Amino acid sequence: MKKKIETKERKAAPLWIRFLSPIMCVVALVAVAIGILSCEREYLWKVQELNLHLDTSLFFRQQMVVPGGILTWLGTYFTEFFYHPVLGVLWLTIWWAALMLLCGKAFRVPLKWSVLLLVPVALLLITCVDLGYWIYYLKLRGHFFVATIALCVVFALVWAFRKIPAKYGLRPLFVVLSTLVLFPFTGFYALLAAVVMGVMSWNLDGTKLRGKCINSVAAVLSVIVVPLVYYHMVYYQTSLENIWWAALPLFCMAEEYGAYYIPYYILVAFCLAMAAGYGKLCSGQVRKPLVWGLANVALLIVLSFGVVKFWYCDYNFHKELRMQHCMELEDWQGLLDEAADQVEPPTRAIVMMRNLALFRLGREGNEMYHYRPGAQPPVTPIHVAMAQVVGSSMYYYYGMPNYCYRWCLEDGVEFGWRAEYLKLLTRCALVNGDHKVARKYLQLLSHTRYHKDWAAEQGKYLDNMQALENDKGYGPVVRLMRYEDRLGSDQAVVEKFLMHHFVTDYSDDKLYIEQSLNAALWTKDIQTFWACFNIYAKSHLNEPMPIHYQEAAYLYGHLEKGVNISNMPFDESVKQSFDAFNKAAENNVRMGLSEEQMKESMYAQFGKTFYYEYYLVRNQKLY
């Protein structure tokens, strides 16, 4: 009688009660997709640039030399689609929808509690959007998709496990065999599935106490023994302490950053909690629809708050990504447009990229101080070196391909080969005239989905140095290479090394001399400036002298009497701004202002002059 009453209550429940939760799930997935596309387009572009998937059998075999290789192969495959952000996010959303469906089937989650299925999706989203500068250092390939695909496998195994009859010892046999078969393909996640099945067995109908114990023992032994067997027989190149954690990201540099593992801990706890509470969600009826609906909404709000809270939103990080994209396209004006609306103090990577754009457009001598100065450190707990962020590109575009080549090779060995590295290696080989080497890299890129067109375009420069030197992209790089070639150590301080290279090495090329003069302003070395200034003036006799070079010459001429500047044709605006700067500085000193206070008060009037740069911009931290 009681069962019949409950059935009537279930049938009498309004449709909005039954389908409110699934509708909320669909809306949440759509909102997540829109949010990623709205906020992270350049981030997704960079992720696929730092990815590499080749459609060759050799590449597949290379992935399979470690546990979880199939996950990295699939992960890098789907990461390629971020080249078109909409397509990549669509694939990610499809995988998350499949994950929710399999999770619901595995744990028999009723429709009324479908919002629970958003928990693993929210956690997986955090693992993707909370990386920040880790994208340059993370060694797990295909990170955006690996955990999602792996959890789909886990939930599919759990679903199959509970469908297997309890008799004949099939369930413990399934636990052992599934772990043994899937560990090479999914690594840690095969072990997670075994543990979840062992916990769930205690709540499955028709299983006696003996069977539950056997299932649990089988799960524990599988977790302990299977990785050891594979370690000694197959994966001996993987360290023993890491064999159980294969296919998980490694957030470790000089030290381990445990906070980044928290979403993974919660994911494991969620799976175990769902297994331990299996069958509980299906019991009971919706007797108070309003309370139940509010509970679903509250869970959705908590998940939304968690995602927003841990979404990495550093202004300069995203500015760097947009500028890097412009640099890759050699859209120098677009890069300057990004630099023009700088709201916060910039990182040195931003400063270097905008100065490069000004240099390529021939405007550095007139505009290098027209943009916001700064040396804001990257907002991240890890130590970030510019060498891994934009250093390799800076070396290439400033005509030092050997250093670019070296960093790409070292980072490729350390963090895995990436499309960005291969493209830079190709460019370096082309400008160095190593066409056989360039052909090798172009052949590799021809096996990618979206970079093969770029490889085909670069192929026209093979064995054709004349076309290379006349190209508007390659030409300036080749001209900057006309100095004594050598390779030393840059101590991973890219900006300082580049600037000192231009003021210590010599070339008679007009473009190189111009950059040497810009570097002399950066170093604030008066003797070096005059040497470069004289050469520049002689090589640009019929051209107007850029305003910042005039400002430096006028300032240095007053600081030291070794050079007579009385006959130099300075613009009247240069003299007036110099006099005004000195008067303002004297007034501020008389008022007792500190250097930092002077820096702030004088920026509006003099921030676009070399005088301000020389006296008030100092001790900037390089990285």
Side-chain angles (χ1 to χ4, degrees):
M1 177 65 69
K2 184 178 179 181
K3 188 174 181 180
K4 290 182 179 180
I5 292 175
E6 290 178 351
T7 303
K8 287 181 180 180
E9 287 180 346
R10 188 183 297 121
K11 290 182 179 179
L15 284 176
W16 73 269
I17 294 178
R18 297 170 58 193
F19 292 104
L20 174 63
S21 190
I23 291 173
M24 291 168 64
C25 290
V26 173
V27 172
L29 276 181
V30 173
V32 165
I34 293 174
I36 296 175
L37 288 172
S38 300
C39 304
E40 303 293 357
R41 280 182 174 267
E42 299 302 330
Y43 178 60
L44 298 179
W45 166 80
K46 191 62 179 181
V47 166
Q48 65 82 30
E49 284 289 304
L50 299 176
N51 178 70
L52 183 67
H53 181 91
L54 305 178
D55 59 0
T56 63
S57 59
L58 176 60
F59 179 79
F60 178 80
R61 293 196 300 271
Q62 287 174 333
Q63 307 312 302
M64 297 306 295
V65 299
V66 295
I70 193 67
L71 292 178
T72 59
W73 187 86
L74 288 170
T76 55
Y77 172 80
F78 286 106
T79 301
E80 279 190 307
F81 292 102
F82 286 138
Y83 187 87
H84 299 295
V86 174
L87 189 56
V89 171
L90 177 61
W91 272 117
L92 194 57
T93 306
I94 290 173
W95 273 109
W96 282 340
L99 175 72
M100 294 172 64
L101 178 63
L102 290 168
C103 183
K105 291 293 185 181
F107 300 112
R108 289 182 60 202
V109 178
L111 286 178
K112 62 185 180 182
W113 290 113
S114 297
V115 173
L116 277 173
L117 304 177
L118 286 172
V119 173
V121 172
L123 293 168
L124 290 168
L125 175 61
I126 290 173
T127 64
C128 294
V129 298
D130 191 38
L131 290 175
Y133 286 92
W134 269 110
I135 62 173
Y136 299 105
Y137 299 95
L138 203 60
K139 297 180 181 180
L140 179 65
R141 303 177 185 184
H143 169 82
F144 264 61
F145 288 91
V146 164
T148 297
I149 297 172
L151 283 176
C152 286
V153 175
V154 170
F155 295 146
L157 284 176
V158 174
W159 184 15
F161 172 76
R162 73 173 183 81
K163 288 290 187 180
I164 293 175
K167 55 186 177 180
Y168 308 127
L170 294 178
R171 283 178 175 169
L173 182 63
F174 180 81
V175 171
V176 174
L177 289 179
S178 63
T179 308
L180 191 64
V181 171
L182 288 176
F183 181 77
F185 302 103
T186 60
F188 164 80
Y189 296 95
L191 309 181
L192 174 62
V195 174
V196 172
M197 289 185 281
V199 173
M200 177 182 277
S201 64
W202 290 85
N203 293 317
L204 292 178
D205 296 332
T207 305
K208 297 180 180 180
L209 179 60
R210 179 185 175 187
K212 295 176 181 179
C213 292
I214 293 175
N215 290 336
S216 298
V217 171
V220 172
L221 290 177
S222 297
V223 170
I224 296 174
V225 175
V226 170
L228 288 174
V229 170
Y230 277 106
Y231 170 73
H232 288 289
M233 298 183 64
V234 182
Y235 300 121
Y236 45 83
Q237 73 274 28
T238 302
S239 61
L240 182 60
E241 61 270 22
N242 291 328
I243 194 71
W244 280 273
W245 317 113
L248 286 176
L250 186 65
F251 296 106
C252 181
M253 295 172 68
E255 59 181 292
E256 190 168 33
Y257 297 87
Y260 289 92
Y261 292 109
I262 291 177
Y264 295 92
Y265 297 148
I266 301 176
L267 271 173
V268 172
F270 171 82
C271 294
L272 296 178
M274 294 296 286
Y278 174 75
K280 304 296 191 299
L281 293 174
C282 295
S283 61
Q285 307 305 316
V286 183
R287 300 183 184 279
K288 296 181 179 180
L290 181 60
V291 175
W292 166 83
L294 289 175
N296 276 266
V297 172
L299 177 58
L300 186 59
I301 291 174
V302 169
L303 292 176
S304 301
F305 175 79
V307 169
V308 173
K309 175 70 175 178
F310 294 100
W311 198 307
Y312 186 78
C313 296
D314 178 48
Y315 174 85
N316 279 330
F317 173 72
H318 289 85
K319 177 69 73 173
E320 287 177 8
L321 295 178
R322 291 192 291 272
M323 295 175 79
Q324 285 185 62
H325 200 174
C326 291
M327 184 168 60
E328 168 64 20
L329 299 173
E330 297 191 344
D331 178 10
W332 306 115
Q333 185 55 52
L335 196 156
L336 289 181
D337 292 340
E338 287 291 339
D341 65 349
Q342 182 77 28
V343 175
E344 297 183 5
T347 62
R348 295 309 298 173
I350 291 175
V351 174
M352 284 204 74
M353 285 188 282
R354 80 185 185 208
N355 285 342
L356 171 64
L358 287 169
F359 175 61
R360 291 296 292 260
L361 294 174
R363 292 156 47 185
E364 193 169 10
N366 286 310
E367 300 178 26
M368 74 170 80
Y369 303 125
H370 288 202
Y371 298 85
R372 186 165 184 168
Q376 187 80 359
V379 181
T380 177
I382 65 176
H383 172 71
V384 174
M386 193 190 293
Q388 274 81 40
V389 180
V390 296
S392 298
S393 297
M394 288 295 108
Y395 279 132
Y396 165 73
Y397 282 111
Y398 278 117
M400 302 188 75
N402 289 345
Y403 287 87
C404 173
Y405 203 92
R406 170 199 149 197
W407 275 110
C408 287
L409 285 179
E410 290 187 4
D411 289 344
V413 172
E414 179 70 17
F415 306 113
W417 296 105
R418 300 165 173 179
E420 180 180 276
Y421 298 163
L422 292 182
K423 289 198 282 188
L424 282 171
L425 289 170
T426 300
R427 288 180 167 129
C428 291
L430 286 173
V431 297
N432 276 328
D434 298 329
H435 294 142
K436 289 184 178 179
V437 177
R439 188 173 283 107
K440 177 183 68 175
Y441 295 129
L442 291 175
Q443 186 177 7
L444 287 172
L445 287 168
S446 69
H447 288 284
T448 62
R449 180 180 298 274
Y450 293 113
H451 301 293
K452 56 187 176 185
D453 291 339
W454 183 90
E457 176 67 18
Q458 306 308 305
K460 66 184 180 183
Y461 300 112
L462 292 172
D463 303 316
N464 192 350
M465 284 300 294
Q466 188 63 42
L468 193 79
E469 293 175 1
N470 294 333
D471 182 76
K472 66 178 182 179
Y474 284 108
V477 176
V478 175
R479 289 180 60 184
L480 290 176
M481 292 171 58
R482 294 168 183 168
Y483 58 91
E484 184 181 353
D485 194 12
R486 61 182 180 275
L487 182 64
S489 175
D490 60 0
Q491 303 298 318
V493 185
V494 177
E495 185 177 10
K496 181 178 180 180
F497 185 81
L498 268 172
M499 295 302 103
H500 282 282
H501 155 70
F502 279 109
V503 297
T504 55
D505 289 328
Y506 174 76
S507 171
D508 58 1
D509 187 272
K510 291 175 62 176
L511 196 63
Y512 188 98
I513 294 170
E514 179 182 355
Q515 182 51 38
S516 294
L517 191 51
N518 295 327
L521 296 185
W522 186 93
T523 59
K524 300 179 182 179
D525 186 319
I526 298 178
Q527 300 305 317
T528 301
F529 168 79
W530 284 122
C532 295
F533 183 79
N534 291 331
I535 298 173
Y536 181 89
K538 292 176 183 178
S539 61
H540 295 75
L541 289 175
N542 298 319
E543 301 175 21
M545 181 65 69
I547 197 73
H548 294 318
Y549 304 160
Q550 292 190 53
E551 290 170 344
Y554 199 70
L555 171 63
Y556 290 155
H558 283 80
L559 288 178
E560 296 188 358
K561 303 304 180 182
V563 178
N564 184 8
I565 62 171
S566 60
N567 295 323
M568 292 185 183
F570 293 103
D571 291 356
E572 196 61 32
S573 62
V574 172
K575 300 176 182 179
Q576 292 175 356
S577 62
F578 178 77
D579 293 337
F581 180 90
N582 284 334
K583 290 180 181 178
E586 290 174 0
N587 289 334
N588 286 332
V589 171
R590 195 178 302 113
M591 294 169 59
L593 296 184
S594 66
E595 185 173 304
E596 279 301 315
Q597 291 172 325
M598 292 175 61
K599 186 176 180 180
E600 183 176 348
S601 66
M602 298 178 68
Y603 178 75
Q605 184 177 0
F606 302 105
K608 295 181 179 180
T609 67
F610 178 71
Y611 316 129
Y612 183 91
E613 171 77 12
Y614 184 80
Y615 284 109
L616 297 175
V617 178
R618 63 183 72 198
N619 300 324
Q620 293 187 322
K621 186 173 178 58
L622 307 179
Y623 62 96

